[in-house]
Amino acid sequence: RNDLHSSLDFLKTRKLNNLFALWLDANKIVGTIPTEIGLCTDLASISISNGTLTGTIPTEIGHMKGLRRVWLYGNALTGTIPTEVTSLKKLEVFELHRNLLSGNVPQSVCDTIAVSNYTHKSLIVDCAKVVCEGCCTRCE
């Protein structure tokens, strides 16, 4: 935590394609997640929790084939979990609780996380608003 005040517009520069990890927890990250995030195909870990992100999770997240760990909890994200996350075959952590999301967690996401050997694997959503068919490791 470093009290950073920013948006994620820097991802639009398309110069961060080789980025491995993006951790901006507990900062004042405002605005939406740009669709250009899908160009960060080498990104293995993204953590932008306890911020002020708004809007939807872009469908382009499905292009991030190396993505293993996603922490986007504690924001104001809306809409549904995009079905494109089903192409994230290395997913080990998917924490989206304390947002304004609704709908379902795709079953293949549940299956991918369930077979992961990662010791700290997790799938956490607000189960009152997002259905996970009993595959969540924890409900908020």
Side-chain angles (χ1 to χ4, degrees), residues 50-71:
N50 297 318
T52 55
L53 286 175
T54 58
T56 60
I57 299 171
T59 58
E60 289 78 5
I61 194 171
H63 299 297
M64 303 167 71
K65 304 295 187 205
L67 199 55
R68 293 177 179 272
R69 301 175 192 148
V70 177
W71 294 276

Side-chain angles (χ1 to χ4, degrees), residues 17-134:
N17 297 8
N18 295 323
L19 189 65
F20 179 76
L22 178 63
W23 287 28
L24 297 169
D25 300 316
N27 283 291
K28 293 178 177 77
I29 307 301
V30 298
T32 61
I33 302 171
T35 58
E36 290 84 357
I37 195 152
L39 298 172
C40 298
T41 54
D42 291 336
L43 195 66
S45 175
I46 182 169
S47 186
I48 309 172
S49 60
N50 297 318
T52 55
L53 286 175
T54 58
T56 60
I57 299 171
T59 58
E60 289 78 5
I61 194 171
H63 299 297
M64 303 167 71
K65 304 295 187 205
L67 199 55
R68 293 177 179 272
R69 301 175 192 148
V70 177
W71 294 276
L72 293 174
Y73 62 86
N75 284 287
L77 296 170
T78 58
T80 59
I81 298 169
T83 57
E84 288 78 3
V85 299
T86 60
S87 64
L88 304 177
K89 301 302 182 191
K90 296 180 179 180
L91 207 55
E92 302 165 333
V93 173
F94 200 52
E95 297 188 10
L96 303 175
H97 54 291
R98 293 192 348 248
N99 278 290
L100 304 171
L101 298 167
S102 60
N104 299 293
V105 175
Q107 185 60 46
S108 65
V109 171
C110 298
D111 297 342
T112 298
I113 293 172
V115 299
S116 166
N117 291 325
Y118 182 55
T119 304
H120 304 290
K121 63 184 170 186
S122 64
L123 173 56
I124 306 173
V125 297
D126 296 310
C127 293
K129 299 180 278 185
V130 178
V131 177
C132 67
E133 298 297 329

